[in-house]
Structure formats: structure tokens, C-alpha cells
Amino acid sequence: MRGVDPAWLPDGVFRPIGTRRTLIRGSGPLVDTVHTEVAGACARFGGRVDLDAGPGGAAYDLALELTGDGDGSEAFTCGRADGRTTVTASGGRGLLYGLFHVVRLGEAAFQGAYPPELFRPRVALRMLDHWDNVAVHPVMGQVERGYAGGSLFWQDGRARGDLERVRAYGRLLAACGINAVAVNNVNVHATEARLLTDRIGEVAEIAGALRPYGIRTHLSVTFAAPVVLGGLASADPLDAEVRAWWARAVAGVYAAIPDFGGFVVKADSEGQPGPFAYGRTHADGANMLAAALEPHGGTVHWRAFVYDHRQDWRDRTTDRARAAYDHFVPLDGEFADNAVLQIKHGPLDFQVREPVSPLIGAMPGTRLAVELQATQEYTGQQRHVCWLGPMWSEVLRFPVEQGSSVGELARGGLVAVSNVGDDPFWTGHPLAQANLYTFGRLAWQPDADPAAVLDEWIRLTFPDPPEPLTDGLHAVLDGSWRTYEKYTAPLGVGFMVQPGHHYGPSVDGYEYSPWGTYHFADRDGLGVDRSRATGTGYAGQYGKPWSEVYESTDTCPDELLLFFHHVSYGHMLHSGTTVIQHIYDTHFEGVEEVEAAREVWASLAGLVDPARHARVAELFEEQLRSAREWRDQINSYFFRKSGVPDAHGRRI
Amino acid sequence: MRGVDPAWLPDGVFRPIGTRRTLIRGSGPLVDTVHTEVAGACARFGGRVDLDAGPGGAAYDLALELTGDGDGSEAFTCGRADGRTTVTASGGRGLLYGLFHVVRLGEAAFQGAYPPELFRPRVALRMLDHWDNVAVHPVMGQVERGYAGGSLFWQDGRARGDLERVRAYGRLLAACGINAVAVNNVNVHATEARLLTDRIGEVAEIAGALRPYGIRTHLSVTFAAPVVLGGLASADPLDAEVRAWWARAVAGVYAAIPDFGGFVVKADSEGQPGPFAYGRTHADGANMLAAALEPHGGTVHWRAFVYDHRQDWRDRTTDRARAAYDHFVPLDGEFADNAVLQIKHGPLDFQVREPVSPLIGAMPGTRLAVELQATQEYTGQQRHVCWLGPMWSEVLRFPVEQGSSVGELARGGLVAVSNVGDDPFWTGHPLAQANLYTFGRLAWQPDADPAAVLDEWIRLTFPDPPEPLTDGLHAVLDGSWRTYEKYTAPLGVGFMVQPGHHYGPSVDGYEYSPWGTYHFADRDGLGVDRSRATGTGYAGQYGKPWSEVYESTDTCPDELLLFFHHVSYGHMLHSGTTVIQHIYDTHFEGVEEVEAAREVWASLAGLVDPARHARVAELFEEQLRSAREWRDQINSYFFRKSGVPDAHGRRI
């Protein structure tokens, strides 16, 4: 698409297919998509594609065979024998994923022979939530927490007339395995509320653009819809009139979008309406929507991000980290089968380092989705390089209890808040594309090696990369999350950001606020005591072994120490350094690592196209400025407070 | 005026005149205003007014006599003999002020006999600067730092069609002695720039509404006007084409408004354009505008609020407090006669406690205006009771050097940033009206006793107040500024406010910012060393004795200690308590004083009209909430940092 970066689907990645002869068997809308893709590649590179047997006797290099008659199944096999690579799938989606698998393999797909291997996603729902507003919000802008321009979907107060860009987006998402998109912000304002009813046609237009790539469309709705749209006196989920209203509304949605995915709901959270107003539970609320969706095969994703955002900072007993568990665990087993509880991966809010939410291990009778944040709200806002693959992988592989990992427990799906807007590079920072790609691939296979995924992304995005480029990109990206962690809030303490927009340091920015995000630093030490013995008891929300591991400073991992414990500046870490010296050291190191990464990027000038190189180079200047600001504010703050000089005598 | 509070001109204050017989001699527009006022009073209360001798032989209780033929002079005499009170003035403005003098005296004006006394303003220009935007600013709103609703002058992007409210405003201002109003924000945005040229007609409409009350209209202009409005390539003040452009623009202004007052200019300050871009000085810039205004009798008010707002907080040698002096003292003697340098009363920015700006004593060859802030940006934003009379009086009486006070040195005028908007009570908080009134009266007579001015305001605003009401209002207002000081930033250190909107506490809110406003608190102490010996040298900008008084902690007044010195928490104040204990004590006291004031106000319920009483009562709840927040954040911050417990064992 002209003027828009091809991301991980530049023409070149289709060369191995486009130069060969391909046979496609089967029919259906997604087979049409497969055919369009292959035919486009052949048109560019001189190959050939035939549908069904084609003109008899031709020898094919690649066969893409639909063995069933639905689009549903996403699994496929891929093998090679007798000089032919064969992909089979029982569903159209599987065939499409199989095609992109061959694209990812590149020339290797056509070398030698290998037995058929089955590929299927471990997680059925792999979704991006867009926090896009239809009407530009006076404070939050068009995309809440968006750092990549305006919305891909909405422009001038309605759905874009030209959906070419949305189609291109769907294609990129299919190529990394995403199969669901929620097209509007979970904070549903007045304009957006109406997407559910009289403006559903606009959602249907978007759904139509995404459908050819196997992507179902979801909608964020307001719990108050029966009141604000329907004119009812109540939104009580047990009220028959309310339930009937929702049933009619859902029927209207499915009339417009037969394969509609379902709703995303943020209720009784940060001011959004919810069932509490009627003395009902979250399960009552979710189940009402689930009942309306059930006849049509839809799902409600009910967010667990519920806490008191008007907390008194003087009150050290209330602990926001406890809130989701305390609210939802008593409701385990009460949610309908098509109600999914969508849980942020950590107990707070997408900080650079948090423990895994204890709620994830505590809801055996509930379908759970785990929500990650691709948009870099707290991780540099797409002005900093911060590849989140290692963080997400740590989260997804985390053995919650009884051997089950987060990735395994997320039976209701893996969700990421999208980092995409109408920016020419999609994600603002060109290298932030790697986060989107990595999320898709990890959602497909949560135990995948993130470094291998990054390798894949590099080979696709920069076709035939010379070794210095591959090495350089790894050098810049591999450790970027840990680098970001080093120069920002230390040891899991979180939230030392500027209030409101969340960019840049402010150590006390949220310290005396109602948001429940504190560090309690004083002249002696810092951190939040969340132990059972002497603190808020949050550590006790975990099953074994984690409740014990986190309970004691002896066993708590360094990187989460200040999340779980209030310790003195002189406290010795397992790493062998004191907390205060760790703060100084990591902040100096973090900046040095950004300086080094900037140098590496500069050295890649001849190996990357000039526009992309220039954009990243420019952003590195801002990242470095910001990292130095973080270093100096954090170090100055803690030096002033602790009075402890740097052991290495550096100027603070 | 219906639906709008009468402030200090309720009908009742005209009863003593309105029940009597008045003779008015003379003619002219302001005599017409005087006649209208007296005739209105007589219509309400049954008295009589005659122009000139009137129907022969009548005995008059009051004679208002114009002895000259201009409106210019503002002086008047007032005396009483032979049962008649006589006001004489050589100018219409003087006669109007004389009328309001009689209004203020009330029945006492008509009792006994007293010799003629001459009254004349000590300060020729007594101005309110409105920081009003014509087009609502996306961040700053319609009135920058306004806490009383929208603009009185501008609505829906243009001058109000109905100027009745503006006329009523002019009447209130005349009654307290104001004679000039600048009608738009000193930050001149694109829309407002055009008021100078094609939209001058709107300014003329406003000027027409204010003129009958002796008020001249001034306009804030952008230094870049020749470029942004005139299409010139430059705004260089020494460029002949630029000077010719301004001459033409000014001629256009005077064609529309023959008694136009002049310009207010914020140049090379916080991003506003100025002469620096052309390598010229502030004197070059001001003098260019002065030259254009001079043939018409106009004045340019050139603001001295110039400093580096992109300072590096790590740099402790740069001191924003020094900036105005460093910029302007070298230019003393270079400004034209009709160029007035307008200096904020303190070196920073309208904090609750600052020393007097040293620039005021250092420009003997320049006409100076001193700028105060009636709008309570840093003093409670008209949600807190904070009567600023005592602060302004301290400033105006401050003996700068060689026996001259600030009030005497302000030969170019006294200016206040207005606290008025389209709120029904004019000032948001009904008791903030007292600030507006007090400013007017102190501008007329800078050495007036503020308590006597407050008494005047009480008697006018609450006609015939019973003693408990007078006592109650004094109890609520007299000490309110010191109360506010107690519960906010301590000992002159300033700027512990929330960034941006400046309401509520944030101890470190500006500590690591580029704005040059720091407290440097660490675990040992706090404050800014501005001494010559070891600090930024700012103390040396004062003449004697102040340069010596402020230089040493031995002589520096307690209330300014942290403005001038960095001291330990254990430093003993002259008051006999330590700095840290002073912080704790004053913050507890401040809240207790608010609680007490709230109780006093509650006790006045039957003595104040219900709407006014309810509004103040409601605001007291917010003031108390906010004061407690201030107390707890400040005390917690310094307890955490110092580790020193409260000597009285109170919970912090």
C-alpha cells in the first residue's frame, strides 16, 4: 500500500512462492484470500498459480489444499516430499495460516524433504484491543494511550470511508496469527456507545475489511447502554426489560455482522458504569451479556481491572494490587461458558516489571483471557526502543501453580492492547512493529522462544538481511526491555512516571495521589510491604510456592523486591549489591546501554532504507535524552533522600 | 443588574444620597454619569437631583461641582458646611470619584461639618489586566488562570453583543478607583492578535462601555504583529518598515478608540516573540511601540517577566529569581517616557510569600509599574478564602531603599491581574470580591491601612452590617492570607504546587522541571542559597540594607528564610522553633484556622443572604479538604525525608 510501511510483509518475502508453481485446492472466502495472495506474488515474480487440478499434468512446487468445507479450523500441516511442499488444512483459516507459514520459511520451505508437521494455535482467541475513540477525546485524544498517530478505523467522527489501510492491517495480523480485533476503546464515551445500535453499520464496514483475513470483529460496549441508548430507567442485569433490550441489541449486531466476535466490557472500573449500581455482581453483569450473545455464538470479555481509584494515600492497608483477586475470586464458577474474564498480566497496570497476577491461578472454574499491552504506555511510548518479547515470554511461561503456565491457563484468549495507528510505520517507532509481531506469534504459541520470533521478524521485515544487520538488530532489540527497566523505576517498585500522560520520570508523581500506586520512600528505605506477616497480605493471594517465595526477602527475586517488601537502602540484594547502589548502578548502565544501542543503529545506516533509519535515529536522540533525565532524577531523588554516596564516586 | 451580585454597590449604599436633594454643576460625559447615578438613587429612595442651579432657591444637601472643563483630573475635594456637603473637582473623573467617596462615607457624609479635604490618587494609572482569550484556549481555557467562569468581554469567539455586564463592571471599578483595563491575555494567540487591526472595532465596543466610568481601555499585542498580521518578513524594532507598520496600526487603533490607553506586551518570555530574535534589546522593542503610541498619548507597558523557562534543574548556579534584574538593569535610562516597565512584585511568580523584586529599586531612570495578582493562581484559586490586602500592603509599603516605598516607586502604575469573570458573583468565591476592591483602593492610596479598606468593603457590600457580621467577616478574612501561607509551602520556599494548573500540593511537582523553581530538599535540609557568599548572589541585587539583611541567616526574616538560604531541618528560627517543627506546627495550625473560619462563617447564616452564604459554605468544604491535603502531603514529605518526629507527637 503506497505511503505505508510494508512491515513484515514486503514484496520480497513472497519471492520463494512467487517464482514457483502453486496449486490451490478448495473453495471459500479464505481460499479466495489465499489465491489472491499467491496470484499477487506470481504476478510480481513470474510464477504460476492454479485452482484445483488446473490444466492437467503440471508439476507443482507447492500445494495448498483445503480438506474440509468450513473456514473455522486454524490448524494446518506442512510437509515436503517428492519435490513438492504441501500444506493441508480442514478450514480456510488454517490454509491461510499455512500459506503464511510457508512465507515465513522462505526458500527453506522448498529445500529437501521433511515430514508433514501439524501446526495449531495453543490459544483459540488471539486478540488486539484498540483503545480508539471515534470522537477525539479532549484529554486522551483519538487513541487512548496511542503513540502512532490517529485511529486506523475512525476518522472525522465516523468509520473511514477508505478501508484499504484496514485491509492491509488485517493482512499483517493474519501473517502473525491474530484472529480478533476490538475496534474501540474500553472507555466507551457517548459517541462510541452508539456503535452498538444505530451506528453498527460502520462496525460492519470494518468487519468486512478484516473478514478476508480470518479476523473477527469485537466491540467495546458500555454497561449503561440500556439507559443511555435504550432510554430505560435501569441497566440492572437481572431486570427482564434490560435483558430483553440487550437481546434485541445483540440480534441487531449479528444481523449486520454474522460472524461478530463479541463484546469487551470495562465495568465498575475507573468511573465506568457497572452492575454495582444495582447491587449485582460482576458475574451477574457478565452473564447477562453472555446470555444475549450465546444464541449467536458470541463471547463477552469482562475485564478484571477493577480497583478503588479514589484511594486515600494515607491509608497503607488498602492495596490496589489485591483488588482484582478480592473482587473476582469469590465469583469463580459463576461465569457463563461464553463469559471470559480478561485479566491484566500483572496486578497493577502494565509496569515494566510486575509479578504475574495471582488472579490467573485462582479462577479454575472460569475461562480467563490474559491482557498484555503492546502499546508502550509505561515502556517508552514508542519513542524508546523497548522490545517486550522477553517480558511477555516470562509472563506466559510463568508456572502459576500445579505446573500450569499463564499461557496454558489463558483458555479464553490472549489479548494485547494494540500499538497501531495511522502512522506510516504503523507503530510510530518502526522497531515497535516487532512488539506487534511478537505478540501474535506468542499468542499462537506461548512457549515459543522470543529470540526465535525476533529472528523471524527480522528476516521478514528486512528480507535477506546481511549478518551485520541481523546482529545489529538483535543488539538493539534483545536487551532493550531490561535496559528500559534499568533506567526507570527500580526493582519492581513501578509508577514513578509523570501523572496523566505517563511519559518521563516523576518519582513522587503518584505518591500522594488517589490511584493506589505508591513507593513509600523515606530517608531510610522504600518499597511496599505486601507480605502476609507484616504487610498488606497480597503475597498470600498466590498459591504455593509463590506465596512463600514472595513472602520473604530471603527468597523474593531481586527484580520484584520493592514490589513485595519495604527495605532499607542498605539492604543487600541477592546480586551482592545494596539497594541504593543497585539504583545508582542500573541507572548509569541503562543510559550507557542506550548510548551503545544508538551507536549500533548508526552503524546500520547503509543496511536499512533511509526513511526508516532516519526515523529510528531521530527517536534514539529522544530516548537518550529521556533516559538521562530518568537516570538523573531517580539518582538525585534517592541520593537526596538516602544521603548515601555512589560507591564509584560518579556525579549524581 | 439582574442575576448578578451587586458586590460593593448594592442599592442600599445609595440611600443617604437617594433620600436627599443634590445639585450637580457642570457638564460633560462623566458629569452625565454622575447625574445618572444620583438620579437613579433618587428614583429609588425619593430624593431629588438638579443640574446647575435648578429651580431657584432650593436648599441642597449635596453639591457636586465641576470647576474645570475637562474629564482628566481625578482629584476632588469634599467638605461640609452650613448643612451642605460639597464635592468639587476640576475634572469629570474627579467628580465621579467624589460621588463614590460620598457613597462610601454613607450617612456620615451628611453629619456635622468638616473642612474641605483634597483627595487625589497617589498612582496615576490603576489598571486591571485581564488574561482573557477571545478564542477558548485548548489548555488554558477562556481566561488564563481564571477562576470565575468565562470572560466578561468575549463570548463565542467575539466581543459580547450585550455589554450591560461590562458597563456594570466599569461602575464597580470606578467605585474603588480603577481607571484602566487591559481586555485580553498577555499571551496573545492567533485570534487575539487580530484585535489590533481588523478586529479593533470589537475593542472599541468594549471601550465604549467602560468610558462612562472613566476607564481607559488597553490591549495586549504580540510583538510579532508586523509578521503575523502585516505579512512583513521581520518584526525588527529598528526596521523602518516595521516601525511604519506599527505607526499605521496605532493610528487605526486611535481612529477607533480616541482615548485608547496603550499596549501591554509580554515579549521574549515563556515562548512569546520579542526583540531578541533580531539582536535587539527590550528597550529597542518597547521604544518602538512607545514611538508609535506617543503622538496619540498612549503608553506601552512592557513586562519584565523575562527568564529562562527551559532551565536544567541540575544546574544550581542559574537562578530564575535573578533574571528580571539581570535583563533590565543594564537598560535603565534607555526606555522612552511613555514606555513603562511592568514588574511583578516578587522575583518569581505571585507565590504566597516572596521578597519584593530587587528590580523595583534598581531602575531610577525608568518608569515602573508594579504588577500584583488578584486572580488567586497560587493562593487558592478562588476556592479558598485568601484576602490579599495584607500581602499587597506589605509589598507597597516595603521601603526599597533611600526611604522610597514600592508604592512610591510605581510611578508608571499599579496593575493587578483581574480575578473577575462572568460568574454571578464576579469572582467565583464571593469573598474574593474583597481582593478586587482592596486592590483598587490600595492603588489609589498605597499606604492605606488594609484593615480600614476591608472595613469599607464590608460596610458597602453588607449595608448596615450588624456587629456580629462585621466581626465575623473580619475573623474570616483578616488572617486568611497568613492562614493560607501556613498550610502551603513554608518559609518563602514557594512552588510546591501541582504542575500545570497550580492547584493543590505537589512538593516535588516542579523540583526536576525546567521552570527554575526548586526547593532542593534533601534528608538534611532545604531551601535555596541565594546569598552572595555561597549562593547564586541574588541577595546582592538589593540595595542596602536589604542586601545585608537577606545575606545572613542571622538577619533574614523567618518568613523568607528558605527563599534565601538552604538550612538544616534543625536550624533554629528567630521564632524559637526549628525549621522542621515550624513546618509541622504551621501546617496543623493552618488547618485548624480554616476549621475555625468555617465555623465562624456557619454562624453568620442568618446575617448573609442565603445564596451568598451557601456558596461560601460550600467552598469552605473544599478549602478544608484541600488544606488537609496540603498539611498531610507537606508534613508526610518532610517527615519521610527528615525522619524528625513531631515534638508534640501528632500523627503525620
Side-chain angles (χ1 to χ4, degrees), chain B residues 487-608:
Chain B
Y487 62 75
T488 58
L491 297 166
V493 77
F495 270 102
M496 292 179 170
V497 293
Q498 295 271 351
H501 57 70
H502 298 166
Y503 187 76
S506 178
V507 179
D508 275 1
Y510 278 99
E511 188 59 12
Y512 302 94
S513 83
W515 293 95
T517 50
Y518 314 116
H519 54 66
F520 300 127
D522 61 22
R523 74 198 317 258
D524 302 315
L526 82 162
V528 188
D529 185 352
R530 292 189 161 107
S531 69
R532 277 164 299 163
T534 55
T536 69
Y538 166 81
Q541 291 186 336
Y542 289 89
K544 286 183 182 173
W546 302 110
S547 60
E548 289 166 0
V549 167
Y550 294 143
E551 176 70 13
S552 163
T553 57
D554 293 341
T555 48
C556 184
D558 282 351
E559 68 269 16
L560 289 170
L561 180 67
L562 301 180
F563 192 93
F564 283 101
H565 298 281
H566 188 93
V567 300
S568 71
Y569 293 115
H571 177 90
M572 192 60 73
L573 296 170
H574 303 307
S575 68
T577 183
T578 61
V579 165
I580 187 70
Q581 192 56 43
H582 172 92
I583 292 174
Y584 298 152
D585 289 347
T586 52
H587 284 77
F588 283 111
E589 285 166 22
V591 171
E592 287 158 14
E593 288 169 13
V594 175
E595 288 167 343
R598 184 180 63 152
E599 290 313 304
V600 169
W601 184 259
S603 75
L604 303 180
L607 306 175
V608 177

Side-chain angles (χ1 to χ4, degrees), chain A residues 313-314 523 629 632 640, chain B residues 313-314 523 629 632:
Chain A
W313 58 266
R314 300 164 190 81
R523 75 197 318 255
E629 189 66 27
D632 293 345
R640 287 191 193 179
Chain B
W313 58 267
R314 301 163 189 81
R523 74 198 317 258
E629 190 66 26
D632 293 345

Side-chain angles (χ1 to χ4, degrees), chain B residues 406-425:
Chain B
V406 169
E408 288 159 346
L409 290 168
R411 293 179 295 121
L414 283 172
V415 179
V417 183
S418 176
N419 61 352
V420 168
D422 68 2
D423 171 78
F425 287 99

Side-chain angles (χ1 to χ4, degrees), chain A residues 396-414:
Chain A
L396 295 171
R397 297 190 202 199
F398 182 79
V400 176
E401 54 186 324
Q402 297 154 339
S404 293
S405 70
V406 169
E408 287 159 345
L409 290 168
R411 292 180 294 121
L414 283 172

Side-chain angles (χ1 to χ4, degrees), chain A residues 227-269:
Chain A
V227 176
V228 299
L229 299 174
L232 302 192
S234 162
D236 182 347
L238 301 193
D239 180 305
E241 208 181 344
V242 170
R243 297 174 75 89
W245 187 90
W246 276 108
R248 283 195 305 276
V250 169
V253 170
Y254 277 89
I257 310 169
D259 62 347
F260 180 72
F263 295 145
V264 180
V265 184
K266 175 176 179 178
D268 286 320
S269 167

Side-chain angles (χ1 to χ4, degrees), chain A residues 129-137 139-154 160 183-185 189 192 375 382 417-423 426:
Chain A
D129 281 3
H130 279 256
W131 289 353
D132 294 14
N133 299 313
V134 179
V136 175
H137 188 274
V139 175
M140 289 298 180
Q142 184 166 27
V143 181
E144 185 161 328
R145 311 303 178 189
Y147 315 104
S151 170
L152 270 189
F153 304 122
W154 314 100
R160 283 176 186 275
V183 296
N184 66 309
N185 188 358
H189 308 292
E192 294 75 14
T375 192
Q382 281 131 267
V417 184
S418 175
N419 60 352
V420 167
D422 67 2
D423 173 76
W426 299 93

